[in-house]
Amino acid sequence: MSTPLRIGIAGLGTVGIGVVKILRQKSALLEARTGRKLELTAISARSKSKDRGVPLSGYAWEDDPVALARRGDVDVFVELMGGEDGPAKAATEAALDTGKDVVTANKAMLAVNGQALAARAEAAARVVRFEAAVAGGIPVVKALTEGLAGNDITRVLGVMNGSCNYILTRMEDAGLTYQEVFDEANALGYLEADPELDVGGIDAGHKLALLASIAFGTQVNFAGVELEGIGAVSIDDIRRAGDMGYRIKLLGVAQMTGRGLEQRMTPCLVPKSSPMGQLTGGTNMVVLEGDQVEQVVLRGPGAGEGPTASAVLSDIIDIARGTRLTTYGQPAHTLVPATPARSATPAPYYLRMALEDKPGALAKIATVLGEAGISIDRMRQYTHEGPHAPVLIVTHKTTRSALDEALAAMGGTGVMAGEPVALRIENL
Ligand code: HSE
């Protein structure tokens, strides 16, 4: 009979309690699948007295997560506290230094400190696994690390923040402004305690940086992610993009280019008919492209108790089975630093502007685009009452630098009211 795998959990929020419930309710199934008992021995959280709806008195309690991580009766330290450093990082380091494997859902910690933690784990012959950190219940870390390990990964795309996708979907469905839906979502508790983590694209950017590291064998580099949140997406753009056959998504894209690693988490237009274009509400989607498989589409719940706990369990089960995987798919010392390449890949762009409705105005804009080497694919002018005409232009593929040159020159034409909106169109 194999020895039990002894588990310590730090952090008893939604996910932590979800893990406790699965360990309690599915012990026979988990034992059948791993050949060992999975035994929760110790727990830690901020408040011992809080009623969490699950009996917890049978587990040893530690106020200090570092003390929990160091306990002799813990084999796997499950870090579900969150936070880029502070107690989460201190406890993770303590666990590794005292011979524990670590399972975490902490994308911020791994996106910022993951290279050092992965190296520390490998030096101690331990593992740090993080399936729950990216896209909740979607097993995308495993898909990249294991299922697609025989591919050269060419591109990773993802809608990986359910709150942002919910906001954009609701704006479109109800015809509400960003601020109206933001306030609604915040009141319903759909956003992180610091909502900027969601709407600023930071949470999704962390996730993208983690996937890019596995996909391209590079040191995780969150600072290299080109980041733009959804705060400036207007209902006008959602409608106009819709008229042109697109939906706006907070889309993550990572790909290796001749100029370096491109990592973007920005509002983009995707074809309405594409899988990403069809994704509504809080659901997540990750598209993995590899030279052998072409395209694999994964869709599922990106947050919530059950889905995220399911992902944590998958890592615990690996450890119980003796499946020992490196943090980012290869030994940490073999991951190479990657030069960040900002918007290096050419793409079509959606431009929306308000032009004076007088002879030659459109010609001036077309000339500026032509002089920057940008070709117009489609154009539409909308009816209007005031002196300014709303004009939409979809360009053929161009570089961001050529587009920036054209946008700067447009200001000098004297025919434009306000600033133009420019959004990238990502073909899928
Ligand atoms: N707040 C995230 C989301 C879940 O809305 O997808 C945790 O990463």
Side-chain angles (χ1 to χ4, degrees):
M1 182 75 181
S2 302
T3 53
L5 184 77
R6 297 165 306 171
I7 299 161
I9 301 178
L12 295 173
T14 308
V15 181
I17 288 299
V19 175
V20 174
K21 284 183 189 165
I22 297 178
L23 289 171
R24 291 174 67 88
Q25 291 163 6
K26 297 186 187 290
S27 58
L29 176 86
L30 296 171
E31 187 174 350
R33 288 189 175 158
T34 62
R36 303 170 72 175
K37 273 194 192 312
L38 302 192
E39 193 178 299
L40 178 59
T41 50
I43 52 178
S44 170
R46 270 202 283 259
S47 160
K48 188 175 180 183
S49 56
K50 183 174 170 184
D51 179 6
R52 296 177 168 88
V54 182
L56 297 173
S57 57
Y59 311 118
W61 178 274
E62 295 282 359
D63 288 323
D64 177 7
V66 173
L68 177 86
R70 290 202 175 115
R71 285 178 68 98
D73 60 356
V74 167
D75 302 311
V76 181
F77 175 66
V78 180
E79 187 282 303
L80 301 172
M81 293 176 285
E84 176 177 315
D85 37 36
K89 179 164 165 276
T92 298
E93 289 171 347
L96 296 173
D97 294 350
T98 53
K100 320 296 180 348
D101 292 317
V102 174
V103 172
T104 178
N106 190 335
K107 63 224 78 167
M109 177 176 78
L110 289 181
V112 177
N113 298 303
Q115 180 66 27
L117 290 172
R120 197 171 186 131
E122 283 159 32
R126 297 292 103 199
V127 299
V128 175
R129 304 294 306 144
F130 63 91
E131 184 64 73
V134 184
I138 303 179
V140 60
V141 173
K142 284 184 183 296
L144 267 180
T145 312
E146 300 175 63
L148 300 179
N151 285 253
D152 275 317
I153 300 297
T154 46
R155 191 166 64 149
V156 175
L157 303 109
V159 170
M160 295 184 287
N161 184 278
S163 307
C164 287
N165 204 52
Y166 166 81
I167 290 175
L168 295 172
T169 306
R170 174 107 176 107
M171 284 170 73
E172 179 179 349
D173 290 350
L176 295 171
T177 64
Y178 167 77
Q179 195 58 50
E180 286 167 328
V181 180
F182 174 92
D183 291 343
E184 199 180 87
N186 211 12
L188 289 167
Y190 289 180
L191 300 176
E192 299 279 339
D194 173 4
E196 193 54 25
L197 287 175
D198 284 321
V199 297
I202 300 162
D203 166 85
H206 286 147
K207 295 167 182 167
L208 183 72
L210 297 177
L211 294 186
S213 173
I214 306 171
F216 304 109
T218 48
Q219 293 178 4
V220 62
N221 182 4
F222 171 64
V225 179
E226 192 178 334
L227 211 57
E228 189 187 318
I230 60 167
V233 175
S234 72
I235 182 68
D236 275 356
D237 285 316
I238 288 177
R239 287 192 180 124
R240 306 290 194 219
D243 289 349
M244 294 297 217
Y246 298 104
R247 283 216 167 86
I248 300 179
K249 297 288 170 196
L250 179 67
L251 184 68
V253 181
Q255 62 193 124
M256 191 57 83
T257 74
R259 305 228 309 264
L261 178 62
E262 182 172 343
Q263 301 179 92
R264 284 182 277 113
M265 183 56 68
T266 59
C268 284
L269 273 60
V270 295
K272 263 188 194 174
S273 56
S274 65
M276 217 61 110
Q278 299 286 311
L279 190 72
T280 56
T283 309
N284 281 198
M285 181 176 283
V286 185
V287 176
L288 304 171
E289 294 177 349
D291 62 344
Q292 303 305 310
V293 291
E294 296 187 355
Q295 195 177 68
V296 170
V297 178
L298 300 167
R299 177 185 184 282
E305 179 181 306
T308 315
S310 149
V312 171
L313 255 298
S314 77
D315 283 335
I316 296 175
I317 287 168
D318 267 355
I319 291 167
R321 285 171 169 162
T323 304
R324 303 194 66 76
L325 298 164
T326 50
T327 309
Y328 297 109
Q330 60 187 65
H333 71 272
T334 66
L335 295 165
V336 294
T339 314
R342 296 179 76 79
S343 284
T345 322
Y349 281 84
Y350 156 101
L351 307 177
R352 179 170 66 86
M353 60 196 76
L355 297 185
E356 282 183 21
D357 201 355
K358 63 181 190 186
L362 205 49
K364 283 188 181 168
I365 298 299
T367 302
V368 161
L369 288 170
E371 282 171 352
I374 300 172
S375 174
I376 294 171
D377 178 25
R378 284 182 290 155
M379 214 171 61
R380 182 177 291 186
Q381 179 172 318
Y382 288 83
T383 50
H384 59 101
E385 286 171 0
H388 295 110
V391 170
L392 285 193
I393 295 175
V394 173
T395 72
H396 282 293
K397 273 190 183 179
T398 181
T399 60
R400 181 74 216 194
S401 56
L403 185 76
D404 286 343
E405 184 191 316
L407 293 172
M410 280 178 195
T413 58
V415 297
M416 224 171 43
E419 294 291 316
V421 172
L423 293 169
R424 188 179 167 105
I425 299 173
E426 199 71 40
N427 282 317
L428 292 157

